[in-house]
Amino acid sequence: MANARQSDGRRPAEPRTLFQTLLYWAALIGVWGLIFLAAFFAVFAIDLPDTSGLNSVKRQPSVSYLDRSGGLVGVRGSQFAPPVDLDTLPKYVPAAFVAIEDRWYYWHFGFNPWGIIRSQIYNASHSGGPLRGGSTITQQLARNLFLTPNQNYRRKAQELILAIWLEAKFTKKEILALYLNRVNFGAGAYGIEAASQRYFGKPANQLSIGESALLAGMMKGPSRYNPVASPDRAAKRATVVLNEMVKTGAITALQRDEAFKTPVKVNPVWDSQRAQYFTDWVDEKVRSLVGEPTEDLVVETTLDLTIQTAAEKALARGVEAAKPLGVQQGALIALDGEGRVRAYIGGAQYSESQFDRVTQAQRQAGSAFKPFVYLTAMEQGRTPNTPVVDEPLKIGSWEPKNYTGKYLGPMVLQSALAQSINTVAARLANEVGTANVAATARRLGITSHIQLDPSMALGAVEVSPLEMAQAYAPFSNGGFATHAYGIERIRTATGKILYDHGLEKTDRAVVIGTPALQYMNQMLRQVVVSGTGTRAQVKGYDIAGKTGTTSDYRDAWFVGYTGGFVSAVWLGRDDNTPMRKVAGGGAPATIWREFMGGALPRLKAQAIPGGFIEPPPPEAPGADPIGELLDPAAATAKPERLEKPRPPEKSKAEDIPY
């Protein structure tokens, strides 16, 4: 049979061999691949950022805050350090980052195809959440240098293009050096040198294996794995890094085990949430004094880190111990006699809440407001021995009650203040005038609105802890007006002085004269010696102060002082709900005593100025009536609780004596 031919006379095509088929499809895919790449670059490279500024650093100026002795309190803004030469670092430092971030770093050309595939599988199965990019170190560098952190496919595509460009332009060593010198380590530290100084107080060339692993572990999330805010989480992540370093041969198993045995010590300046509330407070004031920084600044503050540490420990322990009683939050502020803030804590835990209860919270003062009532009375001629009567009282439609529901009858003002008798304070304020009491409080340092309702005598006035400390300061410093401040000097990093508090004209007017000052100090001493504040006693020191507890136990205060130093403690709940029988003479006084017990030896505190003036005897004959009514044990004992009367509807006056 003759060979078949096509109608046009041509032979039919011979079937392709397997090799020819593979070659054909390879060429076809190659052509289309080139077309795709051209289109890819055309679409995503059209608005690539300018790469000419690769070696320039654009950042916000940093503001470094120093305590009164020059210790570093904190840094706000971005902190960079000079670039580190990779050859000066121990080999395990860069190896830690390669092990955990990009194991195939030395074998890829800017991107890892398998990593991208894995990330796409993850993204497809986790729709709606943040995209996982499978980025290499080179891609991370490209993003840090040129792109925004927005998580979308366009940015990832541009990141890939720039990574390839970086790999073509620089060596692997140069890329890794750029990465380590530019990456963000949290807390405003950029680059391995700044991070080493920030967290460990040492240059990067002295980092240990464990410290290197901890820093490398932070790359997964600088805030989440920060050794300051989350030490346990950071330690677990560092363990993962150490194991990966063994797998890549960066260290031996023996070196890893040795690192496990050697605790990593964070720089003492950063081993707690130290002074974050204070730094927030003064940071805002820096901008009001010198405007937005255009260069690095150094701010010399009034804070004393040693005293701050004592305050932090005392408040943390006190709040934790009182949690079963419903205590949620606390605040503590301490000033010297000239208004310098020496300790400042705006909450139980800064990492959980940045709301500053020292200045931003307005809470009722309770009986801690009564000294302004008594001072007004002293200035109008009364003395600590002026006789009064604790008896039922009605002012208009308001009937203040004592916490016990009982009345002690005749006594003197000193005893009434020491035992925080409500009826006496209310009657006294009514006699001297609530407007005059408000004027006294404002003169001493209360800046919040003061309502003139009769219940203000019992502390139905909302104030901040800073105001209370500021207003008690004249009792401690000889009667002089005091305005709390936290900044001594602001200068540029090059030494130019921009602000100096010492050059300001400050009001040091006398706001408490004699003998009223001596009388008040005598009475407020008795609060601590034999009254509601006995738990605040610090052995060997001249101490005075006042407790405060508001209706339904919503707020508990102790504000106290010695010569030239005053501090205020507040406990409560942010939602203003009641605690369970937490009174000012309890947990707040205990916290105050623990703090002052640690702070006073450093301060070398003196006795309260003004000495002691023996007041005239009572106008009525006879001994102090309180002695006839209460024996010494009863005078210092907490009263038995009876049914507590409802507070007046229009205000939340205190019916608790301590």
Side-chain angles (χ1 to χ4, degrees), residues 114-124 131-135:
W114 301 117
I116 294 175
I117 292 172
R118 286 196 305 271
S119 69
Q120 294 310 305
I121 294 173
Y122 174 88
N123 294 338
L131 300 178
R132 179 178 291 181
S135 297

Side-chain angles (χ1 to χ4, degrees), residues 528-545:
V528 177
V529 171
S530 62
T532 60
T534 55
R535 291 189 184 181
Q537 293 176 6
V538 181
K539 187 176 180 180
Y541 290 94
D542 186 12
I543 300 296

Side-chain angles (χ1 to χ4, degrees), residues 349-489:
Q349 183 60 260
Y350 183 85
S351 61
E352 295 178 1
S353 171
Q354 288 78 55
F355 178 68
D356 183 0
R357 296 153 192 87
V358 167
T359 56
Q360 296 173 335
Q362 298 286 306
R363 304 299 292 248
Q364 288 196 4
S367 286
F369 193 81
K370 287 178 181 176
F372 309 127
V373 176
Y374 280 77
L375 174 58
T376 306
M378 296 299 109
E379 291 174 336
Q380 290 190 11
R382 292 165 178 80
T383 76
N385 280 341
T386 297
V388 290
V389 180
D390 176 18
E391 61 185 356
L393 174 68
K394 187 173 183 179
I395 302 176
S397 61
W398 180 52
E399 296 183 64
K401 307 291 183 182
N402 289 329
Y403 172 65
T404 62
K406 297 180 179 180
Y407 302 96
L408 300 179
M411 59 176 56
V412 293
L413 286 181
Q414 177 167 297
S415 299
L417 180 60
Q419 300 303 321
S420 203
I421 303 299
N422 287 334
T423 60
V424 172
R427 186 188 301 277
L428 201 59
N430 189 56
E431 291 175 356
V432 301
T434 56
N436 291 328
V437 173
T440 297
R442 282 192 290 268
R443 186 176 80 234
L444 266 63
I446 300 297
T447 57
S448 295
H449 172 72
I450 302 174
Q451 57 91 9
L452 301 182
D453 186 274
S455 62
M456 64 95 79
L458 307 187
V461 176
E462 294 185 346
V463 293
S464 71
L466 183 142
E467 289 177 84
M468 291 298 286
Q470 184 173 264
Y472 271 62
F475 295 126
S476 77
N477 68 11
F480 292 96
T482 299
H483 302 281
Y485 71 97
I487 298 174
E488 292 284 10
R489 192 174 294 103

Side-chain angles (χ1 to χ4, degrees), residues 554-571:
R554 297 174 190 273
D555 302 278
W557 297 78
F558 187 82
V559 188
Y561 58 94
T562 187
F565 193 77
V566 58
S567 58
V569 174
W570 167 85
L571 296 180

Side-chain angles (χ1 to χ4, degrees), residues 17 23 53 66 105 130 189-190 240 326 345 350 395 470 513 520 596 615:
T17 65
L23 187 63
L66 308 181
Y105 173 70
Y190 288 80
V240 174
I345 308 169
Y350 183 85
I395 302 176
Q470 184 173 264
M520 285 304 301
M596 293 292 277

Side-chain angles (χ1 to χ4, degrees), residues 439-621:
T440 297
R442 282 192 290 268
R443 186 176 80 234
L444 266 63
I446 300 297
T447 57
S448 295
H449 172 72
I450 302 174
Q451 57 91 9
L452 301 182
D453 186 274
S455 62
M456 64 95 79
L458 307 187
V461 176
E462 294 185 346
V463 293
S464 71
L466 183 142
E467 289 177 84
M468 291 298 286
Q470 184 173 264
Y472 271 62
F475 295 126
S476 77
N477 68 11
F480 292 96
T482 299
H483 302 281
Y485 71 97
I487 298 174
E488 292 284 10
R489 192 174 294 103
I490 303 173
R491 55 183 168 86
T492 67
T494 57
K496 181 182 178 182
I497 302 297
L498 302 180
Y499 167 81
D500 190 334
H501 180 82
L503 300 179
E504 285 192 341
K505 292 183 179 179
T506 56
D507 181 12
R508 293 292 291 169
V510 175
V511 291
I512 309 177
T514 56
L517 176 62
Q518 286 82 356
Y519 288 164
M520 285 304 301
N521 284 336
Q522 174 187 329
M523 290 193 292
L524 290 171
R525 281 189 185 100
Q526 286 304 120
V527 172
V528 177
V529 171
S530 62
T532 60
T534 55
R535 291 189 184 181
Q537 293 176 6
V538 181
K539 187 176 180 180
Y541 290 94
D542 186 12
I543 300 296
K546 186 68 185 75
T547 56
T549 313
T550 60
S551 181
D552 296 327
Y553 299 99
R554 297 174 190 273
D555 302 278
W557 297 78
F558 187 82
V559 188
Y561 58 94
T562 187
F565 193 77
V566 58
S567 58
V569 174
W570 167 85
L571 296 180
R573 297 175 62 86
D574 285 339
D575 59 6
N576 203 31
T577 55
M579 299 174 286
R580 291 190 285 277
K581 299 183 181 180
V582 177
T590 301
I591 292 169
W592 191 93
R593 182 192 67 220
E594 182 178 348
F595 161 59
M596 293 292 277
L600 290 177
R602 177 177 176 83
L603 291 167
K604 299 179 181 178
Q606 304 297 313
I608 298 170
F612 175 81
I613 293 182
E614 182 68 36
E619 295 177 11

